[in-house]
Amino acid sequence: MYQYNEDDQTLIEERVAQFRRQTERFLKGEISDDQFRALRLMNGVYIQTHSPMLRIAGPYGLLSSKQFRKLAHIAREYDKGYCHFTTRQNIQFNWPQLERIPDILEELASVQMHAIQTSGNCLRNTTSDHLAGVCTDELEDPRPYCEIIRQWTTLHPEFAYLPRKFKIAVSGAKLDRAATQFHDIGLHLVKNDAGEIGFQVLVGGGLGRTPIIGQVIRPYLEKKHLLSYLEAILRIYNLYGRRDNKYKARIKILVKETGLEKFTQLVEKEWQLIKDKLELSAERIEAIKTQFTPPAYDSNAAEDTSFAQHQQENQAFATWVKHNTLHHKVPGYRITFLSLKAPDSPPGDMTDTQLDAVADLADQYSFGLIRSTHRQNLVFADVRQVELFSLWQKLDALKLATPNIGTVTDIICCPGLDFCSLANAGSIGIAKEINEALDDMDYIHDIGDVKINMSGCMNGCAHQSVGHIGILGVDKKGVEWYQLTLGGSSENEAAIGERLGPAVAKDQVAKVVTTILDVYVKQRLDDESFLDMVKRVGITPFKEEVYADN
């Protein structure tokens, strides 16, 4: 895990002091709401329905146990005892008092955390594969490059006021778990014909009210040109991106209106001007890689036999292993998911008690590191299989062992009307109703891989456009309604979901979801997945059943 150097630490401490002065001046009435708005957004502070919301950066989703304990402390002392993990691997507090936020930022700085550039029209948190470095399908660990990009983007003077926010994702695996095709820039580590590893660069992807799949702007980019090429793309976007209409200001609209060919020509021309000045040296890459070296794995871990025995003797444990753990690249270890989707808890939320306990468990079982995922869960990346049974028992006691990873109740959900001032409709309550309607775990496991993504407005924080089942809250004359889409995916064969039909009333959403699942169960072929069936038959069979009474 990257550790701050003196420059990093000085930067965030000075930023805390600066924001403290800005907040004090605002509270004294010395600067206006409009003047303070830009300043607070640069430090991750939104004004929500009930209070300010503070969004904290989780660089590529990697956190330490020490940082988790600090989050628990902040939840207890400054909030209402919990925090929320987002789809961008960040952390949000929904109830801080504005006058205490500088104190929170000072607490965060003491553990190398901050909220810089987690909001506003700037370069946002770079995200990555939550299984980076431990999965079996990886070409190379993408996290060193994420860290290099993080350092390049932090307070970049040229890109502090972009036309709109800008997001970058990096993946090094065959399976895209980082939704790279739906980012402003997506980077894939690939091999060229000579066997050299570099980047495939995608541009112009995005979700929100106009979901667009990114396009390949450069099939292969040498590592040494990573920053210069990113800078060239950003310069063209900064020059030509629309600032007259925020709904048309993202780079995806610029690429669409300009055309990929012309946009590529503009980028390549700009790149030629700067490529030799921003070269990334092999020494710099290697220096960052040393911060992500594998932990001291137990070379005898695979000799354990108790793991298999526990699965034979305890069906609940075996079920959890099947659904909440994955193969690790090191024999004798498992990648372990901590589900933040207990049926009676808001998706992605954790209490201060859970945060503290997970920090202790990370120290005991996974080298003191925790990862957050795009589906609002957590990962212990390096757990010895001999210790899984003990870990499972402790997670179960904490309500973090619901065996539903990748299932229909592993719902991505935004805060919706409960907190967000932009929302048109609630989402947390709908997730609870879906959970209550799907209370048979055997049925849930039989259905298999079904991803439900639900957002309370067109901004799409929960990525509803790429949900296998997408749910979007809309406002109709002050009443909450919900549009459903089917067939979306953010993985390799990326797709935007097709609208099922007219919006349905709030009290019908859970029933519609179960109807859709019933159609799938009746018409699927053998082991056919939900997504494959939607591709095969289209949405008509689902539509006929959902709207049968109309």
Side-chain angles (χ1 to χ4, degrees):
M1 182 178 185
Y2 179 77
Q3 298 297 307
Y4 279 10
N5 59 27
E6 186 177 345
D7 290 341
D8 295 318
Q9 192 63 39
T10 299
L11 185 150
I12 62 168
E13 288 176 357
E14 289 184 351
R15 187 60 176 251
V16 171
Q18 181 189 52
F19 187 62
R20 185 182 297 282
R21 293 193 296 272
Q22 292 165 346
T23 304
E24 289 172 353
R25 290 175 62 202
F26 172 71
L27 293 172
K28 290 177 182 176
E30 295 175 0
I31 54 178
S32 68
D33 283 348
D34 280 348
Q35 290 170 321
F36 186 60
R37 181 177 183 276
L39 302 175
R40 65 174 167 76
L41 287 175
M42 288 178 181
N43 292 281
V45 182
Y46 288 79
I47 299 301
Q48 296 287 52
T49 302
H50 307 292
S51 73
M53 180 272 281
L54 177 63
R55 180 181 295 152
I56 299 164
Y60 32 94
L62 185 60
L63 298 165
S64 69
S65 57
K66 184 177 182 181
Q67 291 172 330
F68 250 60
R69 290 190 184 92
K70 182 60 71 176
L71 294 175
H73 168 72
I74 291 170
R76 256 189 315 272
E77 298 299 323
Y78 298 90
D79 206 89
K80 293 194 174 183
Y82 65 95
C83 69
H84 177 76
F85 285 86
T86 78
T87 54
R88 288 199 58 73
Q89 301 177 295
N90 290 323
I91 305 101
Q92 292 180 178
F93 287 102
N94 286 311
W95 295 96
Q97 297 172 314
L98 179 59
E99 59 270 27
R100 300 190 75 191
I101 287 179
D103 295 334
I104 298 175
L105 296 177
E106 186 171 318
E107 298 253 19
L108 291 169
S110 71
V111 293
Q112 303 188 354
M113 297 184 81
H114 62 78
I116 299 169
Q117 294 180 205
T118 56
S119 57
N121 296 332
C122 58
L123 290 155
R124 300 286 188 90
N125 183 38
T126 297
T127 54
S128 187
D129 184 352
H130 50 267
L131 305 185
V134 295
C135 55
T136 56
D137 66 339
E138 190 170 79
L139 182 63
E140 185 177 329
D141 188 343
R143 292 173 300 174
Y145 304 100
C146 293
E147 177 54 33
I148 289 169
I149 294 170
R150 186 196 69 80
Q151 295 181 15
W152 169 71
T153 58
T154 301
L155 302 186
H156 193 305
E158 191 173 342
F159 306 133
Y161 292 98
L162 292 166
R164 279 289 278 142
K165 56 189 173 184
F166 201 94
K167 302 172 180 177
I168 301 172
V170 191
S171 173
K174 290 180 181 176
L175 179 61
D176 184 0
R177 288 175 286 261
T180 57
Q181 295 177 81
F182 290 99
H183 279 72
D184 298 294
I185 293 177
L187 296 167
H188 287 258
L189 283 156
V190 294
K191 271 186 182 176
N192 64 11
D193 293 340
E196 299 163 330
I197 297 177
F199 296 96
Q200 180 190 63
V201 185
L202 293 89
V203 68
L207 294 169
R209 67 180 58 231
T210 311
I212 295 177
I213 298 173
Q215 302 178 73
V216 176
I217 186 172
R218 194 160 239 281
Y220 183 83
L221 178 73
E222 291 179 77
K223 291 177 178 177
K224 66 180 181 181
H225 295 311
L226 174 63
L227 296 185
S228 62
Y229 203 77
L230 295 182
E231 180 129 345
I233 293 173
L234 262 298
R235 283 187 173 190
I236 296 304
Y237 173 52
N238 209 14
L239 278 171
Y240 299 104
R242 293 181 60 171
R243 297 175 190 270
D244 61 321
N245 183 341
K246 75 173 187 177
Y247 300 119
K248 296 182 182 297
R250 296 291 294 270
I251 193 174
K252 61 189 176 185
I253 303 299
L254 176 64
V255 173
K256 183 179 179 183
E257 292 182 344
T258 307
L260 181 64
E261 183 177 350
K262 184 177 179 182
F263 184 84
T264 303
Q265 290 171 358
L266 291 169
V267 170
E268 293 285 329
K269 185 178 179 181
E270 186 70 24
W271 185 43
Q272 294 307 316
L273 299 175
I274 61 175
K275 63 186 294 188
D276 295 331
K277 302 173 186 173
L278 281 173
E279 209 164 270
L280 189 58
S281 71
E283 292 76 17
R284 170 90 186 283
I285 294 172
E286 289 305 314
I288 297 296
K289 280 185 175 180
T290 60
Q291 306 250 10
F292 296 90
T293 53
Y297 291 119
D298 176 2
S299 58
N300 299 317
E303 295 177 5
D304 160 69
T305 58
S306 65
F307 176 55
Q309 186 177 345
H310 282 305
Q311 290 183 80
Q312 290 175 353
E313 295 173 350
N314 190 314
Q315 185 56 49
F317 174 62
T319 300
W320 176 78
V321 169
K322 179 179 179 181
H323 293 280
N324 288 29
T325 74
L326 290 173
H327 289 292
H328 194 288
K329 69 179 185 181
V330 176
Y333 281 80
R334 301 284 292 188
I335 300 164
T336 303
F337 287 84
L338 284 61
S339 172
L340 304 187
K341 310 294 173 56
D344 57 350
S345 300
D349 280 9
M350 282 188 82
T351 67
D352 58 329
T353 303
Q354 289 175 319
L355 288 162
D356 269 334
V358 165
D360 292 343
L361 294 176
D363 283 340
Q364 184 177 354
Y365 294 102
S366 194
F367 300 99
L369 296 176
I370 308 112
R371 305 176 184 207
S372 61
T373 80
H374 300 279
R375 294 202 65 81
Q376 299 177 299
N377 294 303
L378 302 178
V379 167
F380 283 173
D382 305 289
V383 181
R384 286 197 305 161
Q385 65 183 32
V386 68
E387 296 181 315
L388 272 172
F389 187 73
S390 168
L391 174 61
W392 167 68
Q393 291 174 311
K394 293 172 182 175
L395 291 176
D396 192 43
L398 292 164
K399 295 172 64 174
L400 297 173
T402 306
N404 62 350
I405 298 298
T407 72
V408 71
T409 58
D410 185 8
I411 301 171
I412 290 183
C413 181
C414 73
L417 269 183
D418 289 75
F419 299 104
C420 181
S421 59
L422 299 175
N424 295 318
S427 51
I428 294 174
I430 299 293
K432 185 171 185 289
E433 290 176 9
I434 293 172
N435 265 290
E436 290 171 350
L438 298 170
D439 60 354
D440 182 345
M441 196 57 79
D442 290 336
Y443 177 73
I444 290 170
H445 290 156
D446 176 61
I447 291 171
D449 179 18
V450 179
K451 294 181 172 65
I452 295 182
N453 298 358
M454 177 165 47
S455 296
C457 75
M458 289 297 292
N459 290 301
C461 291
H463 304 175
Q464 81 282 347
S465 300
V466 293
H468 297 177
I469 300 174
I471 303 173
L472 169 64
V474 295
D475 175 88
K476 286 189 175 184
K477 298 180 180 178
V479 179
E480 298 167 62
W481 287 73
Y482 295 82
Q483 288 180 348
L484 279 86
T485 52
L486 298 183
S489 174
S490 62
E491 297 180 350
N492 292 40
E493 294 183 21
I496 296 165
E498 185 175 356
R499 187 174 167 182
L500 185 63
V504 301
K506 185 175 185 177
D507 62 359
Q508 295 299 304
V509 177
K511 181 182 177 185
V512 168
V513 169
T514 58
T515 300
I516 290 168
L517 296 175
D518 286 345
V519 172
Y520 163 60
V521 170
K522 289 175 183 173
Q523 298 196 25
R524 64 184 169 184
L525 302 175
D526 299 326
D527 295 330
E528 187 178 41
S529 71
F530 177 82
L531 195 57
D532 284 343
M533 181 191 154
V534 174
K535 290 177 185 174
R536 177 173 59 84
V537 304
I539 66 169
T540 299
F542 301 96
K543 191 171 186 174
E544 287 174 350
E545 286 296 321
V546 168
Y547 301 103
D549 296 333
N550 296 333

